[in-house]
């Protein structure tokens, strides 16, 4: 379908020569075109310009959209989710209101183990249907690309089942999807007396199948207090690389776990969470190509303290933002709310938050060539807002639905 969008008040992230990542002061620079047009052909952006310079003849387009008083944004790239899961966990939500902590619930067999028990009893078809429903939901929120993790199987069959579901989602959803293997999400109860046996299962049984069947793009480990140690993480990440899987890990959510250091040592594409980030961790990240990714809705939902985003940007780091959409610590996939949290709770400027949720989160899922900006030649995944006064209005009006029209890979979705 050939689409022309005209009279756009502001095209956000319209960078003709985008950088792969934006760090430090660069994060507050957001290239925009005012009173402009975008043309879309064969799923890609074929032209971007200002109205006053003229635009292509309307006759050659199947559809012309008048976006007067509206903003066009590149689709959000949600680089960290767990949206394949069985059942919700609002019981634990109430337990936390009554005073139990996330870690206490996990130690009592709740948390990730609770989700694993349910997932192993749920069929592949049911998992596919419910995850597809969540994908359709986040598409309406403006997400055009999403990374999805396994990690609620915690058995050879369960993990492979989850990754097969993600493979089917890749085939059936218009969204761009990356799959991450997270067998090392928690130690299953039966392996608690001998955790090394479970780590051996990941390394010697799960990874070879996943590598052979090409079921994942990345390898993750929950490197944190009470979950996986630095040494265990190191061994699993090295084994992942042997099957072609670059690391992309959970680190420093519950403590200074060494996860950032072990992630950087293993050339992780991203290290995610980072509530516990100090000077040492910042120094390590500055000397790397690893994208620090913050998930502020987890801190919001679990009542943790927020990662030191301001300090990290001021030290010259890039930052990405993602939802962590999962049934335990962040049961929401609304990227706009993540931006509001980033601004209100972590003192990021709206421009910084937008760059973190587009350019830098595209990098954090390995899709910088096609996503993250509105640039000729990139995939035409973008959304058009309702009439709004400014860019700042988007994180300011938290909870509101400001999206009027969504285009994914050149097709009008809603
Ligand atoms: O990213 N931190 C580890 N894993 C998930 C939570 C998963 C769960 O509680 O089900 C997270 O927060
Ligand atoms: Fe997560």
């Amino acid at each position: 379908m050939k689409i022309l969008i005209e009279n756009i008040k502001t095209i956000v992230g319209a960078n003709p020569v985008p950088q792969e990542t934006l760090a430090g002061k660069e994060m507050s620079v957001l290239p925009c075109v005012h009173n402009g047009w975008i043309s879309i052909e064969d799923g890609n952006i074929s032209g971007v310009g200002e109205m006053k310079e003229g635009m292509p003849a309307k006759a050659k387009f199947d559809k012309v959209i008048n976006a007067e008083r509206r903003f066009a944004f590149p689709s959000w790239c949600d680089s960290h989710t767990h949206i394949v899961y069985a059942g919700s966990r609002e019981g634990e939500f109430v337990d936390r209101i009554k005073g139990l902590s996330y870690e206490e619930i996990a130690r009592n067999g709740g948390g990730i183990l609770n989700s694993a028990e349910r997932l192993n009893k749920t069929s592949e078809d049911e998992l596919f249907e419910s995850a597809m429903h969540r994908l359709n939901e986040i598409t309406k929120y403006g997400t055009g690309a999403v990374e999805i993790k396994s990690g609620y199987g915690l058995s050879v069959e369960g993990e492979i089942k989850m990754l097969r579901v993600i493979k089917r989602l890749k085939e059936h959803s218009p969204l761009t999807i990356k799959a991450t293997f997270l067998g090392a999400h928690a130690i299953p109860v039966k392996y608690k007396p001998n955790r090394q046996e479970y780590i051996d299962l990941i390394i010697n049984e799960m990874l070879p199948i996943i590598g052979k069947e090409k079921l994942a793009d990345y390898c993750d480990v929950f490197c944190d207090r009470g979950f996986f140690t630095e040494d265990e993480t190191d061994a699993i990440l090295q084994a992942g690389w042997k099957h072609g899987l670059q690391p992309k890990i959970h680190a420093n959510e519950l403590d200074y776990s060494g996860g950032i250091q072990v992630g950087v040592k293993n050339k992780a594409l991203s290290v995610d969470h980072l509530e516990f980030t100090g000077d040492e961790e910042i120094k390590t990240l500055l000397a790397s190509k690893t994208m620090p990714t913050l998930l502020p809705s987890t801190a919001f939902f679990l009542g943790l303290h927020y990662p030191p985003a301001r300090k990290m940007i001021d030290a010259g780091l890039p930052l990405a933002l993602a939802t962590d959409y999962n049934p335990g610590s962040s049961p929401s996939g609304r990227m706009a709310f993540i931006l509001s949290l980033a601004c209100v709770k972590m003192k990021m400027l709206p421009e910084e938050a937008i760059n973190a949720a587009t350019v830098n989160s595209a990098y954090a899922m390995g899709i910088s060539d096609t996503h993250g900006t509105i640039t000729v030649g990139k995939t035409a995944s973008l959304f058009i807002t309702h009439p709004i006064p400014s860019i700042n209005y988007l994180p300011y009006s938290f909870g509101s639905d400001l999206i009027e029209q969504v285009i994914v890979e050149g097709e009008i979705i809603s």
Side-chain angles (χ1 to χ4, degrees), residues 381-393:
S381 291
L382 52 94
F383 63 84
I384 301 166
T385 65
H386 288 291
I388 56 171
S390 69
I391 286 168
N392 300 341
Y393 192 83

Side-chain angles (χ1 to χ4, degrees), residues 152-165:
Y152 292 128
L154 307 183
S155 63
V156 178
E157 308 70 42
E159 286 297 310
I160 301 298
K161 179 164 75 174
M162 285 191 79
L163 290 168
R164 291 213 172 109
V165 170

Side-chain angles (χ1 to χ4, degrees), residues 367-381:
I367 55 168
S368 302
D369 288 351
T370 50
H371 289 75
T373 57
I374 297 186
T375 300
V376 173
K378 281 200 180 184
T379 301
S381 291

Side-chain angles (χ1 to χ4, degrees), residues 12-15 18-22 27 29-31 72-79 142-145 291 319-322 335 339 348 350-374 378 381-383 394:
V12 178
N15 191 343
Q19 285 168 241
E20 232 188 5
T21 61
L22 298 168
M27 284 196 68
V29 181
L30 185 62
F73 280 77
S75 289
W76 307 128
C77 296
D78 191 349
S79 63
T143 297
M291 178 59 70
L319 287 183
L321 288 167
M335 280 295 280
L339 272 81
M348 287 173 71
E351 291 85 352
E352 291 172 332
I354 292 165
N355 279 324
T358 53
V359 177
N360 285 351
S361 54
Y363 175 88
M365 54 186 294
I367 55 168
S368 302
D369 288 351
T370 50
H371 289 75
T373 57
I374 297 186
K378 281 200 180 184
S381 291
L382 52 94
F383 63 84
L394 193 124

Side-chain angles (χ1 to χ4, degrees), residues 68-197:
E68 227 174 319
R69 296 185 294 131
R70 288 153 173 83
F71 285 56
F73 280 77
S75 289
W76 307 128
C77 296
D78 191 349
S79 63
H80 181 137
T81 80
H82 310 246
I83 59 168
V84 175
Y85 61 82
S88 49
R89 305 214 312 254
E90 65 276 19
E92 294 174 10
F93 167 67
V94 176
D95 289 342
R96 280 202 311 281
I97 295 171
K98 291 180 182 161
L100 282 184
S101 72
Y102 181 74
E103 285 173 280
E104 282 163 339
I105 292 168
R107 275 199 296 275
N108 296 339
I112 296 164
L113 297 181
N114 177 358
S115 283
E117 203 182 317
R118 294 192 199 190
L119 185 128
N120 281 294
K121 289 186 196 140
T122 306
S123 74
E124 202 172 304
D125 285 346
E126 280 174 88
L127 288 171
F128 172 77
E129 291 304 326
S130 62
M132 197 65 188
H133 184 78
R134 290 178 200 116
L135 279 184
N136 292 337
E137 176 201 5
I138 64 171
T139 307
K140 293 198 188 103
Y141 298 159
T143 297
V146 60
E147 180 258 19
I148 311 174
K149 299 173 193 296
S150 68
Y152 292 128
L154 307 183
S155 63
V156 178
E157 308 70 42
E159 286 297 310
I160 301 298
K161 179 164 75 174
M162 285 191 79
L163 290 168
R164 291 213 172 109
V165 170
I166 302 173
K167 193 173 175 193
R168 269 172 80 189
L169 294 170
K170 283 186 181 186
E171 289 158 7
H172 289 87
S173 165
L175 298 193
T176 297
I177 296 174
K178 293 286 180 185
T180 300
F181 167 56
L182 176 54
H185 200 186
I187 301 276
V189 177
K190 74 170 180 179
Y191 292 97
K192 288 243 156 113
N194 186 0
R195 44 194 295 133
Q196 188 56 41
E197 231 179 90

Side-chain angles (χ1 to χ4, degrees), residues 2-11 33-40 47-52 54-59 61 63-72 382 384-385 404-405 407 412:
K2 291 185 170 56
I3 305 169
L4 179 68
I5 313 169
E6 61 172 347
N7 299 319
I8 309 164
K9 181 173 172 179
T10 302
I11 306 171
V33 167
H34 300 286
N35 196 18
W37 58 269
I38 301 169
S39 62
I40 295 171
V48 178
E50 289 181 46
M51 296 300 291
K52 66 175 187 230
M55 58 178 186
K58 287 187 193 179
F61 292 92
K63 170 108 185 143
V64 177
I65 298 171
N66 183 2
E68 227 174 319
R69 296 185 294 131
R70 288 153 173 83
F71 285 56
L382 52 94
I384 301 166
T385 65
E404 191 168 273
Q405 205 151 34
I407 296 175
I412 298 172

Side-chain angles (χ1 to χ4, degrees), residues 80-82 147 149 152 182 185 220 222 250 253 272-273 295 298 323-326 329-330:
H80 181 137
T81 80
H82 310 246
E147 180 258 19
K149 299 173 193 296
Y152 292 128
L182 176 54
H185 200 186
D220 196 345
F222 186 8
H250 284 74
E253 174 184 1
D272 302 15
H273 274 295
L295 313 167
T298 307
T323 63
D324 199 16
Y325 192 174
N326 76 73
S329 65
S330 179

